[in-house]
Amino acid sequence: MSSLKEICAGLPLDPLPPNRGRDPSIPHALVRTPNFTPAEERLALRNALRYFPPNLHATLATEFAQELRQYGHIYMYRFCPTLRMRAYPIDQYPCRTRQAASIMLMIMNNLDPAVAQFPQELVTYGGNGQVFSNWAQFWLVFHYLSTMTEEQTLVMYSGHPLGLFPSLPSSPRCVITNGMVIPNYSSREEYEKMFAMGITMYGQMTAGSYCYIGPQGIVHGTMLTVLNAGRRYLGSGDLRGRVFVTSGLGGMSGAQAKAAVIAGCVGVIAEVDEAPLKKRHEQGWLMEITSDLSHCIQRIREARRAKMALSLGYHGNIVDLWECLYQEYKKTGELLVDLGSDQTSLHNPFSGGYYPVQLAFRQANQLMNTEPERFKTLVHESLRRQVAAINKLSDAGMFFWDYGNAFLLEAQRAGALVEKKGGGATEFKYPSYVQHIMGDIFSLGFGPFRWVCTSGDPADLAETDAIATAVLEEISSTVTERVRQQYSDNIRWICEAGKHKMVVGSQARILYSDQRGRVSIALAINQAIAKGRVSAPVVISRDHHDVSGTDSPFRETSNVYDGSAFCADMAVQNFVGDAFRGATWVALHNGGGVGWGEVMNGGFGLVLDGSEDAGQRANLMLNWDVSNGVARRCWSGNANAYETIQRTMEDQRQLRVTMPNPVPEDQILDRALQG
């Protein structure tokens, strides 16, 4: 198992690899609690063994049963490869097509220990965002991809490779679905059982679609959110001397420290687990760490006065920090926080996503497994305390928003005072960052566009950075002032990306761009590959958290107010439309961000290889991938989306969108309903 060729040879069965168990030198996922009946436990074991011939069942059954009882899931640690997981240059993968090789590269990047949160459990981020359910699936997928032709498609059912099926060269090479559970059975309790049985999987967003590029993506998105929050709430994008308080430094939340510094503010981030604090500090993303609240308050005051950019990690519970900030305000009259949010993993509140303030870190990890109901009660009590402190600081002048992690949703379920009087089903006392900050940006067509240089050569990334900058600078001279501001933020991001050392894992870049920018950048990169300026194919993709990719009533579509926020047509149509317009692979997921059963989302990967065909695919697919969501947002009544899709129809004669006719006078409705 020392080479990519061996990885592609299929499951190693003769002889079996030694069972080395868990690697103690790396982080591991928390124990899961499926609460199986004896019959369900038996079924889970039977399901795992069907990947192997009968002569191995007696050997493997005992260790798989032990894994299931010890960890709550059968990961098949014996089959975890010894080969270093990373994005190897595309030419090193033994494949018959470069499309298949690009998928392999992206999968291995998702499992790179420098990128993945829990690599041996195949978790990329978010505590439970799986690439696969077990290691047998990994081996089978790589074998299928290595033998695939351009007339086959690999079909993936929630981590399980159903097989290679005949298709057209124009078809996707891989079609992924994760968590497609009948709606009435899409509950957290049912999920824990189904995942432990190996029959469904939570792919988060870009974990299960093989498109994660490390924390760079969330750094950029968080930076834009903080900058635009300053413009909206504080009247300026100059955040020097302003203080942003939040929590979480683990997976995607780990980007908050770096984003705060790039935005120019004082970022104070609470984290209960010492390991991610040390990791972010060693990375250089977190400048200082303290476990002393008095020292924390002192450093906030010093940084505010000096107007210095600072990322300060507080090793402790966010509830203690919020309560301390309020007590300081009550004592001195000085409000030490301007902006506030939260990025704990509240999509997973009772299995390690949120740590109640009443318990120490180790106590919490023990109690969530031994006394889950008591732990749940403590989580709810902690959330009520957290919201109470936030409410008091908000009354004093702090601006708070929900970061789409289900914080306000879970706080409401806990009985915290987050209700918005007269609000709709997706509205709370505080807005989500989509409702007040990023939603209008989505409606302009802007979202997280990204690419990966499959050569692994930093020179290729530098060249594509230069290409993207030139494209955006050219376009920005022809757009409205509001759109120009977004281009300016992203040009600044690209120009400073090298200085901030954003690359972790693959040679990748992200920026927020609109439809015109995405298409133009993709076509320019494709031309550069054709001319040899970029040495190897480039994979283009995006986060599922985008204009069209996600239907999520408490995040991406929380600013849709026509009643359709709970409908998922947009995400499903996007997945289907990307598939037949040229994507190399497509994915559709239940869950992601705010949690299982709360969202439908999808994504894609598209290989640019310098060919005319790749350019045509990119042009057709990227135009659809943005216009779909802008048209839906227009129909829901968003004025920015209305203007954006109008301009797009003027540029594209074949595009025809049904436009809404707003009702300008409420009296018409009143008279009709009173009659």
Side-chain angles (χ1 to χ4, degrees), residues 380-381 383-392 394-395 400 407-408 410-421 427-430:
H380 284 169
E381 289 176 3
L383 282 168
R384 290 195 293 270
R385 275 178 60 179
Q386 184 171 346
V387 168
I390 289 168
N391 286 348
K392 292 171 185 175
S394 176
D395 290 342
F400 184 89
F407 172 70
L408 292 177
E410 288 301 328
Q412 181 190 54
R413 290 168 176 167
L417 300 178
V418 295
E419 181 183 355
K420 179 180 180 179
K421 292 181 180 179
E427 295 179 287
F428 297 99
K429 179 181 178 71
Y430 303 105

Side-chain angles (χ1 to χ4, degrees), residues 8-30:
C8 295
L11 269 166
L13 303 176
D14 188 15
L16 285 172
N19 184 11
R20 295 176 303 276
R22 282 187 165 194
D23 180 350
S25 68
I26 60 173
H28 289 281
L30 292 173

Side-chain angles (χ1 to χ4, degrees), residues 31 54 61 72 82 102 187 192 256 273 306 349 371 397 507 534 539 566:
V31 174
T82 57
S102 70
S187 67
E192 288 296 338
Q256 294 182 107
D273 186 356
E371 298 183 59
Q507 293 293 315
V534 175
V539 173
F566 292 90

Side-chain angles (χ1 to χ4, degrees), residues 213-221 285 493 497 502-504 506 508-510:
I213 59 168
Q216 176 185 172
I218 193 64
V219 170
H220 182 44
W285 287 23
W493 162 263
M502 289 287 96
V503 171
V504 179
S506 59
R509 184 68 70 228
I510 187 171

